[in-house]
Amino acid sequence: MFEGILIAGFGGQGVLSTGQLLAYAGMKENKHVAWIPSYGPEMRGGTANCGVTISDRPISSPVVSEPTVLIAMNRPSLEKFEPAVVPSGLILVNSSLIHIKTKRSDVKTVYVPANDIAESLGNGKVANNIILGVLLELTGVVSTESVLEALKEVLPPKRHNLIPINQEALEKGRQLAREFKAS
Amino acid sequence: MAKVLMKGNEAIGEGAVRAGCRYFFGYPITPQSELPHYLAKRMPEVGGLYLQSESETAAANMVFGAAGAGARVMTSSSGPGISLMQEGISYIAGAELPCVIVNMIRGGPGLGNIAPAQSDYFQAVKGGGHGDYRVICLAPASVQEIIDLMQDAFDLADKYRNPVMLLADGVLGQMMEPVELGEEKFVQPPEKPWAATGRKKGGPKRLINSLYIVPEECEQHNLKLAKKYAVISREEQRWEEYHLDDARLVIVAFGTSARVCKAVVDRARDEGMAVGLLRPITVWPYPTGVIKRIREKVDRFLVVEMNMGQMIEDVRLAVEGARPVHFYGRAGGMMPVARDIFNEVKKLYNGGAEQ
């Protein structure tokens, strides 16, 4: 198996930490993983992205130039990275903030109103884990259990009170994906 | 022991601490700033000293001073900062002092950019500063190898009383990979009877110096250094071989480029082409021995670098004209893509078969 996952959005949307969650979870499953952030001359409020590679073979380049999965948390990210996704790849669009459709017809696209769902759970900040839940259900790249394990390491101990709400978000995302698969 | 996920830059810092390094002097620059950041926190925990200098020039000379007093000491920077350090590095080499210098290369020349590159190869292995000296130069290709090589870097520096450079790039510094840190063990650096630690009421005079004003004496000093470099060249060549045994086309690449080339070798093997990879781990001393050993058995070499062709000169020196040596490179902070290298391999491999 091989997944090159590109996660992109505004700084503050949990883009980098979502990537780390995936990488930790993959590591716990003894897969080869690599995580790399964009580290250009970024500015506050600007875009942030990271690439996560999870594979059962050693990883050559950690740079995800041709993603099998794109998670677009905001519109500039979708517009910038959509063309790079491999044919028959997967694009997860945060439709709470992105009100356009993808131009690609050769990939699978799922629109997830992640911020709206997160707000309905009582914490808008878990939008990233709504989308992550969708990803887990649709690709099975790592198990939800591994992600929950990883949460304990990515979140500092003083933030462990946030684990239940993040777990809820992941479950909500998976449920959405199951509905999508059924439809 | 359990694996942890670590950034390359942090791994350098942790590896240095575990190797007994207790002094760090440096000045921030992307893409290596996580390293001083990490050590600013870590050094006080182990009773060490972290100091942000006013410039890279100052950092190199602080390293000079600490090394002269016998400390295990390190500095780090990227391209432009390493250029500023060259005067100090030359003095340190001239005074025969051990230290570790990290260069996480970025796109150049000049201010360039902060993207990953391998364009400081010449600077690292051919001198950089003035005078006739050499710096032992290690080129890791993974975060785990960074951890493993940091101990060796300090040991080699002490063994030969010589600066050791860790040569990597922005990708290795920024990426996170699982690493096994192993048991933390107490490292006792070797005795340094030459260190200038004060005469302490009548002890022998110890002078750390790179000034030899009499040409006859300076020549003797150069001969002594050359002898040391010859020993290092003979004893310390390191490399990794990947499918070299029956390879007709051998790719030579180091660091991040070598990672990409491994995938190229896998794909070529899948398609029935006898392609192998030689990955130098020391780029000075250059692993010429292995190239001389295999050169008669292969059809051609392909050197892949993230620059416009620097290490290729060392490959050609080792091949000594026995076989064609080709080049593929990306520059200015661009990463080579496995598919493009593969196309190059295919072209060369088939061309080779026709001849």
Side-chain angles (χ1 to χ4, degrees):
Chain A
M1 60 83 66
F2 174 93
E3 295 285 359
I5 303 161
L6 190 68
I7 310 170
F10 291 125
Q13 281 185 308
V15 162
L16 301 182
S17 55
T18 304
Q20 286 189 14
L21 262 184
L22 272 169
Y24 264 103
M27 182 177 82
K28 288 190 181 300
E29 296 181 2
N30 287 318
K31 295 183 165 108
H32 293 275
V33 299
W35 172 96
I36 190 161
S38 60
Y39 65 95
E42 312 291 4
M43 60 182 177
R44 189 180 291 242
T47 56
N49 73 73
C50 69
V52 180
T53 309
I54 303 179
S55 174
D56 48 22
R57 293 178 78 168
I59 294 160
S60 54
S61 169
V63 177
V64 179
S65 48
E66 294 171 348
T68 57
V69 180
L70 167 66
I71 297 181
M73 293 300 288
N74 66 4
R75 181 170 165 168
S77 300
L78 178 64
E79 290 174 330
K80 183 173 178 189
F81 296 115
E82 179 185 347
V85 178
V86 297
S88 70
L90 172 66
I91 302 181
L92 301 180
V93 178
N94 178 12
S95 57
S96 294
L97 301 181
I98 304 170
H99 305 298
I100 55 167
K101 301 286 173 196
T102 62
K103 296 187 189 79
R104 296 281 297 268
S105 53
D106 59 340
V107 298
K108 182 153 84 178
T109 306
V110 182
Y111 297 89
V112 184
N115 286 80
D116 297 307
I117 299 170
E119 292 292 348
S120 74
L121 293 180
N123 189 338
K125 286 182 183 161
V126 297
N128 56 333
N129 278 338
I130 303 277
I131 291 229
L132 183 56
V134 175
L135 173 79
L136 297 183
E137 185 66 29
L138 291 182
T139 66
V141 57
V142 289
S143 74
T144 310
E145 291 70 34
S146 303
V147 173
L148 289 172
E149 280 278 300
L151 257 179
K152 291 180 202 155
E153 300 195 32
V154 173
L155 285 175
K158 62 176 179 182
R159 294 268 178 263
H160 279 191
N161 59 323
L162 295 174
I163 289 176
I165 179 86
N166 279 291
Q167 183 169 4
E168 207 182 330
L170 286 167
E171 286 305 328
K172 194 79 189 167
R174 291 187 59 190
Q175 187 192 326
L176 266 174
R178 281 193 292 269
E179 287 164 16
F180 173 83
K181 278 199 283 194
S183 67
Chain B
M1 202 163 164
K3 285 189 171 182
V4 292
L5 204 59
M6 223 172 187
K7 251 192 176 197
N9 283 331
E10 296 170 346
I12 296 171
E14 186 56 33
V17 166
R18 282 164 181 257
C21 173
R22 290 295 177 270
Y23 293 85
F24 178 90
F25 306 98
Y27 188 85
I29 182 172
T30 308
Q32 62 82 56
S33 291
E34 293 84 0
L35 167 53
H37 186 125
Y38 185 85
L39 287 177
K41 189 174 159 219
R42 190 77 170 98
M43 276 300 185
E45 287 174 3
V46 292
L49 175 89
Y50 165 89
L51 188 80
Q52 182 176 321
S53 56
E54 71 270 33
S55 72
E56 288 88 346
T57 309
N61 285 289
M62 289 171 183
V63 169
F64 187 11
R72 277 207 153 171
V73 57
M74 178 171 92
T75 185
S76 70
S77 191
S78 181
I82 297 289
S83 293
L84 285 168
M85 290 181 183
Q86 291 301 334
E87 181 196 40
I89 295 170
S90 169
Y91 277 58
I92 294 167
E96 289 194 85
L97 294 177
C99 70
V100 173
I101 303 144
V102 176
N103 183 3
M104 305 305 276
I105 311 174
R106 52 188 251 173
L111 201 49
N113 60 38
I114 58 177
Q118 297 181 321
S119 44
D120 298 354
Y121 180 90
F122 279 153
Q123 185 194 48
V125 308
K126 305 292 179 193
H130 57 283
D132 208 344
Y133 74 95
R134 292 289 190 172
V135 168
I136 299 168
C137 196
L138 307 173
S142 71
V143 181
Q144 181 68 58
E145 195 175 29
I146 285 174
I147 287 278
D148 301 339
L149 283 181
M150 284 314 286
Q151 178 76 51
D152 296 345
F154 283 97
D155 290 347
L156 285 167
D158 280 338
K159 182 177 177 188
Y160 294 105
R161 287 184 59 184
N162 207 71
V164 172
M165 182 172 277
L166 191 88
L167 195 69
D169 63 70
V171 162
L172 279 163
Q174 295 295 325
M175 75 185 291
M176 280 180 123
E177 271 188 322
V179 292
E180 215 152 324
L181 289 170
E183 294 293 321
E184 199 164 353
K185 51 181 189 288
F186 176 72
V187 178
Q188 178 71 52
E191 287 290 314
K192 296 177 180 176
W194 45 263
T197 51
R199 293 186 71 174
K200 293 170 191 138
K201 292 182 185 164
K205 182 180 169 186
R206 294 170 188 168
L207 183 64
I208 305 286
N209 196 9
S210 68
L211 175 71
Y212 293 86
I213 199 78
V214 180
E216 284 82 355
E217 287 173 15
C218 199
E219 187 184 42
Q220 285 308 312
H221 180 54
N222 271 278
L223 288 168
K224 180 184 163 221
L225 290 178
K227 218 168 155 183
K228 175 171 81 173
Y229 300 147
V231 172
I232 299 172
S233 295
R234 200 174 56 236
E235 304 288 333
E236 305 295 348
Q237 296 179 21
R238 297 189 195 186
W239 66 92
E240 182 196 353
E241 299 179 13
Y242 190 64
H243 291 301
L244 272 195
D245 283 348
D246 62 337
R248 292 181 49 213
L249 185 151
V250 170
I251 303 177
V252 189
F254 71 100
T256 297
S257 300
R259 293 177 68 107
V260 181
C261 289
K262 243 183 197 176
V264 174
V265 169
D266 287 345
R267 182 158 168 212
R269 289 273 164 182
D270 286 347
E271 299 200 9
M273 289 186 275
V275 177
L277 171 70
L278 172 66
R279 177 175 73 88
I281 297 170
T282 52
V283 282
W284 195 86
Y286 200 75
T288 47
V290 58
I291 293 181
K292 288 185 173 158
R293 197 184 78 220
I294 62 169
R295 68 188 182 194
E296 309 296 339
K297 292 190 288 182
V298 309
D299 293 337
R300 57 191 67 238
F301 292 86
L302 170 65
V303 179
V304 177
E305 300 179 71
M306 283 148 65
N307 59 45
M308 292 316 290
Q310 299 190 15
M311 184 181 74
I312 187 174
E313 295 192 0
D314 285 327
V315 177
R316 284 196 168 131
L317 282 172
V319 171
E320 291 181 307
R323 291 291 181 274
V325 181
H326 307 271
F327 180 74
Y328 179 84
R330 296 297 302 269
M334 294 301 290
M335 285 275 293
V337 177
R339 190 185 38 220
D340 297 339
I341 304 170
F342 177 76
N343 289 337
E344 196 66 22
V345 163
K346 214 168 156 181
K347 206 169 71 192
L348 290 169
Y349 195 87
N350 292 336
E354 282 161 20
Q355 282 171 9

